[in-house]
Amino acid sequence: MLASHRSLRLAAYAILAAILYLPGLGRPALWEPDEGRYAEIAREMVVSGDYVTPRDNFELYFEKPPLVYWAEAAAIKIFGVNEFAVRLPAALFSIGQVVITAALAEAMLGTTAGLLAALALALSPLFFSLARFATLDPALAFFLTAALAAFYAASREDTFATRSARKLMLTSSAMLALGTLAKGPVALLLGVAIVFIWFASERRIAEIRRIPLIWCALIYFTIVAPWFVVMELRNPGFLNFFFIHEHLQRYVSSNEHGWGPWFFIPIVIGGTWPWIFFAPLGWSSMRRDDGSESSGAPSAIHQHRSAASFLAIWFIVIFVFFSIPRSKLGTYILPALPPLAIFAGYGLSRLSSIAASSRRRLLAGFGIANLIFALASLIFFEAALRKINPAFSLDGFLVSLAIAGGAVLMYALGREVTRLPYAIGAIALAMLATIPLTNRARAHASSISTYRNLAHIVQPNLARDCILGSYRHYIQSLPFYTGWRETRVLYWGELSEVSPATQVKSPFIIGSDARLGQVWSSGVCMILIANARDLPALRSTLNPPPVILGFEGKKFALYNGGGKP
């Protein structure tokens, strides 16, 4: 395909990614706690008309900046209060990231590598899952990828002083600013660290002074500063909480999600399988100077080596940065996936250039690795998830069958160089086949972390002035589904971190079983969501005895018979 058709190719990648991510986007219930939290914050912005101060359950929520909330609120205004609206921004950011990754791979390595990099990223299990999940990480990943792609394009100019290079650097700064508004200063920190380390590795530190740093800083702060300033003026102490407590202290001392430094190794391997298998081939090919879709001239050879260093530093910086603290989640690694996808795409594009015997050994190893991976998946589904839902056994078997079948087909077809496109297509089709299976698995797991059905049970019974309470927990999505503020009983959680001294006085917190008993017996309508393990104690202490309206998973809706539901 001619280089002049680049825009058409990128548009095609966007359309294909949209076909992957958008159908059925709103079908699953909101997953607790993240999807429920971010959906409710966006809904409350729409309801209150306050798009400056984020609130969760109508209580101050200062942990994250607002850009994703704004995007979700805009979708809610257009599509209504539903799951599709709150997941749409993540899907769109993911589609954009596929396109930018393809464009960057093309610029580095040619059109074939661009196509295969887009394929590897779009069909990576972790990336696909988060493209259909309402969280902040797809936005951060998109803006950081865009910023680094713009910087790399600028770095290929003769000098950063050219007009086009300056525009690209200002674009990069704007993307880092939007990334900061999406998830915080981590966007700037990671972007600057990757660029600086790459400059040092290329012995180009002196070129930093040619970057229009003053203009870049001006663009960055012009975009970022207004929201932070207004927030501090409206909520004194916000800046200290946001930057010191939520980011610095959490990074250096939090054990909220305590994991060791090895945590992201299985996340990266499993989350990018099977494409990561070909990433080492892509890396070594770039370093060995055997260029693709180029003349093999010294300048092209140097560019491939430089690109390999840039991509490797990109991945390593993000991997190491998020591996250091004990507090981490698997979603944090999402911005590190594009360089792996580009390595994998280039490795796949180079299969036809290696010796037939080496290619057959490589594909045999790929087949064996996939069979092992399929067996591990089957054991995981059977041993770890069968207790949750027996249907997981069938899901695990079908996923394993698809992965193993794709690997066998790739080996059989890939032995002949003329059939390599069909071999790559076979593994892509195998990954496509797992998509409905993973969607089924998500539906089967809904009983452990979604409460849409429980909210629908509760909704018709909520009369005026009725109290909707949650006992020793907080269901993030309950206000989103019911439109009702949730009273927390014997549970403070993260909503109390902003100003604990004032939160204790809130009428929407019941701090003792004795106070719960008083409210329950006061004659005011009350519906209490409780875990199954707490039912015996509540039945023996609450008067009048609770009436069970319904349940979902391990949570029950109890009604006191007060008011006129």
Side-chain angles (χ1 to χ4, degrees):
M1 197 174 288
L2 297 176
S4 60
H5 295 159
R6 182 170 180 265
S7 296
L8 292 177
R9 284 196 302 276
L10 297 180
Y13 300 153
I15 292 170
L16 293 174
I19 292 172
L20 279 177
Y21 303 147
L22 295 182
L25 188 64
R27 191 175 300 128
L30 295 176
W31 199 265
E32 290 287 326
D34 288 353
E35 284 199 302
R37 177 191 306 116
Y38 300 135
E40 176 58 12
I41 293 172
R43 186 191 74 86
E44 289 179 21
M45 284 186 167
V46 175
V47 170
S48 68
D50 183 355
Y51 292 89
V52 174
T53 303
R55 292 179 175 84
D56 185 10
N57 199 36
F58 293 95
E59 298 180 51
L60 299 176
Y61 187 83
F62 290 171
E63 293 195 4
K64 300 295 185 290
L67 189 143
V68 175
Y69 308 149
W70 291 340
E72 291 178 353
I76 288 173
K77 294 278 282 188
I78 297 170
F79 299 105
V81 180
N82 55 62
E83 294 89 344
F84 175 84
V86 298
R87 292 191 181 114
L88 181 60
L92 295 179
F93 285 128
S94 299
I95 292 167
Q97 193 174 2
V98 169
V99 172
I100 292 173
T101 300
L104 180 59
E106 278 200 15
M108 289 177 168
L109 303 160
T111 57
T112 302
L115 167 64
L116 295 175
L119 184 71
L121 183 63
L123 290 178
S124 288
L126 180 62
F127 189 87
F128 175 85
S129 298
L130 292 179
R132 297 167 59 85
F133 195 87
T135 188
L136 311 182
D137 299 283
L140 172 64
F142 168 77
F143 289 120
L144 186 57
T145 300
L148 292 172
F151 164 78
Y152 182 78
S155 74
R156 296 184 66 179
E157 298 282 334
D158 292 335
T159 173
F160 283 101
T162 65
R163 184 180 181 87
S164 59
R166 291 172 67 88
K167 287 183 177 179
L168 287 166
M169 287 306 304
L170 295 180
T171 299
S172 181
S173 300
M175 293 299 102
L176 289 179
L178 292 172
T180 301
L181 286 178
K183 203 172 180 182
V186 65
L188 179 64
L189 182 61
L190 290 174
V192 170
I194 292 166
V195 167
F196 183 82
I197 294 172
W198 181 70
F199 266 136
S201 72
E202 295 286 296
R203 299 179 181 177
R204 295 175 62 178
I205 289 290
E207 294 185 31
I208 292 178
R209 67 176 182 269
R210 299 190 180 96
I211 297 175
L213 294 176
I214 294 177
W215 283 104
C216 288
L218 183 62
I219 289 289
Y220 179 86
F221 286 107
T222 298
I223 295 172
V224 167
W227 179 76
F228 284 96
V229 171
V230 174
M231 275 291 290
E232 178 65 22
L233 291 174
R234 291 191 182 183
N235 306 277
F238 160 74
L239 292 177
N240 179 73
F241 176 86
F242 185 86
F243 288 106
I244 304 301
H245 174 275
E246 180 58 20
H247 287 85
L248 180 60
Q249 290 181 357
R250 187 173 181 180
Y251 184 83
V252 301
S253 62
S254 175
N255 290 319
E256 182 180 354
H257 310 288
W259 299 97
W262 51 267
F263 175 75
F264 286 114
I265 296 175
I267 297 293
V268 168
I269 295 174
T272 60
W273 194 266
W275 314 105
I276 194 174
F277 183 89
F278 299 98
L281 175 61
W283 155 262
S284 61
S285 296
M286 293 173 75
R287 298 297 298 176
R288 281 201 311 266
D289 308 335
D290 52 349
S292 171
E293 300 182 33
S294 67
S295 63
S299 59
I301 291 171
H302 173 74
Q303 285 181 4
H304 287 179
R305 287 183 172 181
S306 179
S309 296
F310 183 73
L311 295 173
I313 290 167
W314 177 347
F315 172 77
I316 291 169
V317 166
I318 295 175
F319 184 92
V320 171
F321 178 83
F322 286 119
S323 295
I324 291 172
R326 288 187 56 80
S327 177
K328 43 185 168 274
L329 294 172
T331 58
Y332 294 173
I333 203 65
L334 191 63
L337 299 193
L340 292 181
I342 295 173
F343 281 138
Y346 190 57
L348 288 167
S349 73
R350 302 304 295 158
L351 284 174
S352 60
S353 68
I354 62 179
S357 58
S358 298
R359 183 174 63 254
R360 290 171 184 171
R361 284 195 300 270
L362 180 68
L363 293 179
F366 177 69
I368 293 170
N370 268 275
L371 291 173
I372 294 172
F373 190 84
L375 180 61
S377 299
L378 184 61
I379 293 172
F380 174 75
F381 275 93
E382 181 70 22
L385 300 178
R386 181 179 174 84
K387 294 179 181 179
I388 299 172
N389 191 324
F392 276 128
S393 294
L394 179 60
D395 295 336
F397 173 76
L398 293 175
V399 168
S400 300
L401 183 64
I403 294 173
V408 171
L409 273 176
M410 187 172 191
Y411 173 73
L413 295 170
R415 297 177 67 185
E416 300 297 330
V417 68
T418 56
R419 294 183 178 181
L420 273 174
Y422 302 106
I424 296 172
I427 198 64
L429 287 174
M431 295 308 296
L432 282 171
T434 66
I435 289 175
L437 300 176
T438 54
N439 289 339
R440 273 169 44 94
R442 179 171 178 172
H444 292 150
S446 63
S447 62
I448 64 173
S449 198
T450 64
Y451 299 103
R452 179 172 59 190
N453 293 336
L454 188 63
H456 291 168
I457 292 170
V458 165
Q459 181 105 41
N461 298 280
L462 289 171
R464 183 179 179 182
D465 297 327
C466 191
I467 297 172
L468 176 61
S470 54
Y471 187 73
R472 297 185 183 275
H473 63 266
Y474 171 61
I475 300 178
Q476 297 278 355
S477 61
L478 203 57
F480 179 85
Y481 284 125
T482 65
W484 218 264
R485 187 166 182 177
E486 194 170 344
T487 295
R488 290 173 285 140
V489 181
L490 287 167
Y491 182 82
W492 281 261
E494 62 185 355
L495 291 182
S496 298
E497 290 186 2
V498 176
S499 50
T502 58
Q503 294 293 322
V504 172
K505 302 174 185 177
S506 169
F508 294 94
I509 293 179
I510 296 176
S512 68
D513 283 312
R515 177 57 183 158
L516 170 63
Q518 292 174 0
V519 175
W520 184 267
S521 61
S522 66
V524 175
C525 167
M526 184 172 190
I527 296 173
L528 186 67
I529 310 300
N531 289 307
R533 66 175 180 268
D534 294 318
L535 280 180
L538 290 172
R539 279 175 163 170
S540 65
T541 58
L542 294 179
N543 185 32
V547 175
I548 296 178
L549 297 176
F551 68 94
E552 185 172 14
K554 296 180 180 180
K555 298 191 186 297
F556 287 73
L558 310 179
Y559 170 53
N560 70 345
K564 297 180 180 180

